[in-house]
Amino acid sequence: MSTPLTTVHETVPGYPRVRDDYVDPARVLLDLPAISPLTFAGGSVGWLVTGFHEARSVLYDPRFSAERWRGDDTVRPIPRRIRENRGLGPGSFLSMDAPEHDRYRGLLTKFFTVRRMRALEPRIAEIVESCLDDLENAGRPADLVRHFALPVPSLVICEMLGVPYEQRAGFQRASARLLRQNVTEAEFEENFSALIAFVDDTIRAKHAEPGDDLISALVASGELTGTEINGIARLLLVAGHETTMNMLSLGTFTLLRHPDQMARLREDDTLVPLAVEELLRYLSIVNAFPVRVALEDVEVGGILITAGTCVAVSVPAANRDPELVEDPARLDVGRSRSSHLAFGYGIHQCLGQHLARTELAAGYRGLLKRFPDLRLAVAPEDVPMRSDMIIYGAHELPVTW
């Protein structure tokens, strides 16, 4: 028999923003049943999913909508622009349902295949080596985020999209501000508009002088309006550097705090691909979403979720579910690859997951080889963590060698 919202467990007052021991999901998340009531940022009460199987069910089921304007969010109210425009605009397919989502994603899939990523491996390795040079030349101690973790994915995604890397400060600043959990309406508007203008300038440049890049290909296809190309490019630009940047820095921070696991990778770098998957599961940097809205009454895990109700999936908690892996709180860089949810699930599973895996493997492998005695330059408690951001990680990571 299904259990309605009003008769189940005590409501969680809000999604916890601070992690335990820097990387672990807040203990309250791990102690909850698979589905619990949650108070969302806008004041509504919906559901929080922390169980692995229940999370996959919600993310896969088309009866749950990804259109954010329909509901509420976990850590901050939905910005007015998103409400009024029913989303982030044409092309921003992350918050769209089928068939609109499928049209945009279908145009992009060929750019992110495993084969394409393999072809990119030599260039990504060159970028990693160049950024390692910059890290070394910065002197000791150095901020690994500034000199390595941020420039590696930024350079890669700029080259793929055809965005001039020398103009990176503009989009990096705007995207970082948009991802703050406490961003105000005015700040959201200012930075969102700045990002639109930045990408518009790039699109105009591609019309005048096309190159061998993704934005030029979308312009040449004639299948999209400029507004649609802008939405796609904004999504790829922000997601393409923010996520991998934080996985590189947070993954390094984690390995430095687990010297036995780091030693295993130094001794056998064939473990690096497995280590990437384990770090993705263990860290789960997507802090407080995805959120879905039930389009009709749906039963999940014995709970009746009524039409119009918001459901938040805690990826960090779901990836620590014992139903997924044995002893999930233990970091094991040689663990067999699991079906973790770090890249999501269903039609919205991360388009750039193969690119991210390629960058992470090259980044960790290069870092371990270049700096065999890499270590933290400060105590762990002095590393400023991104508890204030939607994408978790470290604001800075001071290291020495």
Side-chain angles (χ1 to χ4, degrees), residues 134-148 371 374-377 396-401:
D134 292 342
L135 178 63
E136 188 169 10
N137 293 335
R140 298 170 290 181
D143 178 10
L144 185 133
V145 174
R146 176 184 176 187
H147 297 291
F148 181 69
F371 300 103
L374 187 73
R375 59 192 183 274
L376 289 175
E396 299 174 6
L397 187 64
V399 295
T400 190
W401 53 90

Side-chain angles (χ1 to χ4, degrees), residues 297-316:
D297 291 357
V298 186
E299 183 177 325
V300 178
I303 299 292
L304 178 63
I305 300 174
T306 56
T309 303
C310 291
V311 181
V313 173
S314 176
V315 172

Side-chain angles (χ1 to χ4, degrees), residues 37-242:
L38 172 72
T39 300
F40 283 72
S44 66
V45 176
W47 295 100
L48 173 63
V49 178
T50 55
F52 172 73
H53 295 298
E54 292 78 6
R56 290 219 313 180
S57 177
V58 169
L59 295 177
Y60 185 77
D61 195 328
R63 292 174 295 177
F64 289 101
S65 173
E67 295 179 338
R68 296 173 61 201
W69 56 269
R70 293 178 180 270
D72 206 343
D73 216 334
T74 48
V75 295
R76 68 187 190 191
I78 299 290
R80 185 172 59 253
R81 176 191 281 266
I82 294 178
R83 292 271 191 226
E84 293 174 352
N85 295 338
R86 296 164 63 110
L88 286 169
S92 187
F93 57 91
L94 186 63
S95 55
M96 292 178 179
D97 296 333
E100 190 177 21
H101 162 274
D102 300 344
R103 171 179 171 248
Y104 291 124
R105 182 157 177 143
L107 292 171
L108 297 171
T109 301
K110 62 185 177 183
F111 296 103
F112 292 92
T113 62
V114 172
R115 177 181 293 182
R116 284 222 173 202
M117 295 309 105
R118 285 176 179 161
L120 279 177
E121 283 181 3
R123 177 56 186 148
I124 291 173
E126 288 178 2
I127 289 173
V128 165
E129 287 303 310
S130 175
C131 292
L132 287 171
D133 290 341
D134 292 342
L135 178 63
E136 188 169 10
N137 293 335
R140 298 170 290 181
D143 178 10
L144 185 133
V145 174
R146 176 184 176 187
H147 297 291
F148 181 69
L150 175 57
V152 166
S154 293
L155 271 161
V156 172
I157 199 64
C158 280
E159 287 193 6
M160 283 191 69
L161 293 178
V163 173
Y165 184 65
E166 60 272 17
Q167 298 175 12
R168 64 192 179 280
F171 77 76
Q172 288 175 350
R173 181 172 55 250
S175 64
R177 290 174 177 173
L178 284 171
L179 292 174
R180 281 174 27 215
Q181 293 185 10
N182 62 348
V183 66
T184 66
E185 285 282 353
E187 290 169 334
F188 183 89
E189 279 294 325
E190 177 185 356
N191 290 288
F192 190 69
S193 297
L195 204 53
I196 290 174
F198 176 86
V199 176
D200 270 343
D201 287 343
T202 304
I203 294 171
R204 279 192 291 269
K206 299 305 174 185
H207 276 286
E209 191 175 342
D212 183 20
D213 56 73
L214 196 153
I215 293 179
S216 292
L218 294 179
V219 168
S221 73
E223 297 183 56
L224 299 165
T225 66
T227 304
E228 289 175 314
I229 296 172
N230 191 299
I232 290 171
R234 274 187 284 113
L235 174 59
L236 297 179
L237 192 59
V238 174
H241 82 275
E242 279 282 347

